Amino acid sequence: MLWTLKEWGYDYDVIRLDPFKGETQTREFTDLNPSRKVPVLVHGDEVLTESLPIMEYLNNLSVKNSLIPREPKNIFKYRKIIHYGLTEIEPYLWLVEQANRLKMIYNWPDGTYEEAIETVKHNIAATWQWMNGTNHIAGESFSLADIYYYHLITWSTQHKIDRPSLVTEYLHKLEKRSAFPAAMLPIQQENQEQRPPG
Ligand SMILES: N[C@@H](CCC(=O)N[C@@H](CS)C(=O)NCC(=O)O)C(=O)O
């Protein structure tokens, strides 16, 4: 979400909450988001939750520089790629987290971690073709799908899931964008040690 705010140059303030310290369980926060998840965006009277819809909301505030394709064929490709990540990759990455690093909170049966890792490996490998021979994952133009997949791929790498070199080159290309948040890499390393990714 921070990356998207920077893409359009919006002004924002960040309040960081640590779920491990109960900071997402306070009355003040659950009034904003009863599911107790970050991120939450407060924009005027609007309280917005869920990362991808927030990114799309921010996109739609900016009439120029849309990061969502506009042509029907390209919209389909963009939506398919996002939908695939949301349904076939991200839930299994969460399972990997819950059955491993967060197992003091969750109680998944033995073997869940291994099964979830295999599922992520299999499902994410099907996406490598989308980065082959094109500048960006949903076509030639940069889109919100690139931001989302940067997050998914680097998250999978934290679990030692290999990727082909063309995908590493794709990630490096994204990191060169002027709006790429410089803080993102150290935050991921910190996440790996102590907090849920996101
Ligand atoms: N579907 C949500 C997931 C967000 C999410 O899982 N956030 C994690 C941190 S990255 C969280 O707030 N966890 C706190 C908790 O589960 O108590 C989204 O896409 O925004």
Side-chain angles (χ1 to χ4, degrees):
M1 186 173 100
L2 292 182
W3 187 348
T4 45
L5 286 162
K6 282 173 184 278
E7 285 289 340
W8 295 293
Y10 293 134
D11 285 333
Y12 57 86
D13 293 318
V14 178
I15 302 173
R16 289 186 189 279
L17 299 181
D18 187 343
F20 283 107
K21 292 187 181 147
E23 291 171 1
T24 49
Q25 311 213 2
T26 62
R27 180 69 199 271
E28 191 186 0
F29 186 73
T30 55
D31 279 350
L32 292 177
N33 189 4
S35 84
R36 303 176 173 177
K37 306 272 185 194
V38 289
V40 172
L41 177 72
V42 180
H43 177 228
D45 292 337
E46 302 291 334
V47 177
L48 302 131
T49 62
E50 293 300 313
S51 313
L52 266 164
I54 292 175
M55 285 157 61
E56 295 199 342
Y57 171 88
L58 291 169
N59 184 80
N60 297 338
L61 290 179
S62 164
V63 279
K64 49 185 180 154
N65 271 344
S66 176
L67 296 181
I68 299 176
R70 292 198 169 114
E71 297 295 310
K73 203 171 102 188
N74 297 340
I75 295 172
F76 169 76
K77 191 170 181 191
Y78 163 87
R79 293 234 50 92
K80 178 187 80 172
I81 287 171
I82 296 259
H83 191 269
Y84 186 85
L86 281 170
T87 57
E88 306 296 343
I89 303 175
E90 187 170 338
Y92 299 101
L93 278 167
W94 274 115
L95 205 47
V96 165
E97 293 295 332
Q98 293 179 4
N100 181 30
R101 197 167 47 82
L102 302 176
K103 64 182 176 203
M104 68 294 202
I105 302 172
Y106 296 90
N107 192 21
W108 291 99
D110 286 350
T112 302
Y113 172 74
E114 291 76 9
E115 188 77 25
I117 281 277
E118 284 311 307
T119 307
V120 175
K121 273 187 197 159
H122 177 268
N123 291 0
I124 207 165
T127 73
W128 303 149
Q129 57 176 315
W130 295 333
M131 292 150 229
N132 195 4
T134 175
N135 264 329
H136 293 95
I137 192 165
E140 281 310 305
S141 307
F142 177 74
S143 72
L144 295 181
D146 293 296
I147 297 181
Y148 181 50
Y149 271 76
Y150 183 91
H151 164 64
L152 290 181
I153 297 166
T154 52
W155 186 1
S156 76
T157 307
Q158 290 175 12
H159 296 285
K160 314 242 178 315
I161 292 174
D162 288 339
R163 58 186 185 228
S165 56
L166 80 93
V167 176
T168 305
E169 285 159 25
Y170 161 75
L171 298 178
H172 286 331
K173 192 164 51 187
L174 295 180
E175 286 162 4
K176 290 201 183 91
R177 289 188 71 79
S178 57
F180 179 81
M184 218 159 145
L185 290 172
I187 283 174
Q188 279 166 14
Q189 281 150 17
E190 179 194 331
N191 278 341
Q192 195 173 354
E193 286 154 24
Q194 50 174 301
R195 56 171 76 188

